[in-house]
Amino acid sequence: MEYKTRRKADTCDVARCRTRGGLTVTEIEHEDGSKVKMCNKHLGAFSPTPSTTLDDIEPADDDTSHRAQVLAIVEPVRAEATANATALAAIEITSQTMLDQAGELLKQTKAKYKSLESERTKVTKPLLDAKRDIDDWFKPAKQALSALEGVLKSAIDGFITAQEQKRLEALQLGNHQEALATEQPVLPSGISTRTVWRFNVVDPTKVPREYLAVDMAKVQAHVTEHQSATAIPGIEAYPDTSVAARS
């Protein structure tokens, strides 16, 4: 989140609102230690309730005003969640009543997260759609240039390879004069070659164990199917239970 530069005392960081006409400024501290001051107009005008969404924000004259309005929705949610996480950091559930309360709070938290994510996508979706449209404008020309690049690289590589093969064949036949007379390619300025050694597996049974790896996907599929009955040597199957919540 960006704020106004050249901050002044007793002014709102998001829109430089001054403390006049009943406005007050509250300083909010982020988890990273940074602080931001917001006036009660921006902090309270858009309370993060189910009835308040980005649809309620009137079109802003500039990006800074729009950021301020979005921040007024997001910041209270962040502050509340941070406070609750800090207060409950050492919580230990010791009764069914506490379990029910924790479950209810978890569902509320999940609902708020989904609601906030929905609001975020309302802002980002038009931007992503616009980016995809622009990418499509450039895509045909980029594809054509890539194809041309491939043709030229293949032709250059073909000539270099053919000349080297011709030189090696002459040497193998003992014809050193012909080998020396073989034209050695001189690459144009700005053009270079790079040699990368690759490999093919011709006999998997002869590959040393140190170069082998466990097929994690295949093992997981077997463990998922057989669970506690898993009997793969060297593999230990165990249950990993997690808590899920519906908003």
Side-chain angles (χ1 to χ4, degrees), residues 154-194:
S154 178
I156 291 173
D157 181 65
F159 175 69
I160 294 174
T161 301
Q163 292 301 99
E164 180 62 15
Q165 184 65 30
K166 182 178 179 181
R167 186 183 69 85
L168 291 176
E169 289 177 353
L171 287 175
Q172 291 173 355
L173 294 174
N175 193 339
H176 297 285
Q177 291 297 328
E178 182 179 344
L180 291 173
T182 301
E183 181 182 6
Q184 296 299 303
V186 178
L187 293 175
S189 176
I191 305 300
S192 61
T193 61
R194 182 183 64 173

Side-chain angles (χ1 to χ4, degrees), residues 104-121:
E104 183 60 31
L105 181 58
L106 176 58
K107 289 189 292 184
Q108 294 175 7
T109 300
K110 188 72 173 181
K112 289 182 179 180
Y113 186 95
K114 290 179 64 176
S115 177
L116 197 65
E117 179 64 11
S118 175
E119 298 305 312
R120 184 189 69 82
T121 55

Side-chain angles (χ1 to χ4, degrees), residues 143-158:
Q143 289 178 331
L145 289 172
S146 294
L148 176 57
E149 179 182 357
V151 169
L152 293 172
K153 284 183 175 180
S154 178
I156 291 173
D157 181 65

Side-chain angles (χ1 to χ4, degrees), residues 46 51-59 66 73 118-119 122:
F46 298 94
S51 60
T52 301
T53 68
L54 292 178
D55 294 333
D56 300 316
I57 297 179
E58 296 181 358
H66 192 241
I73 293 176
S118 175
E119 298 305 312
K122 289 179 182 178

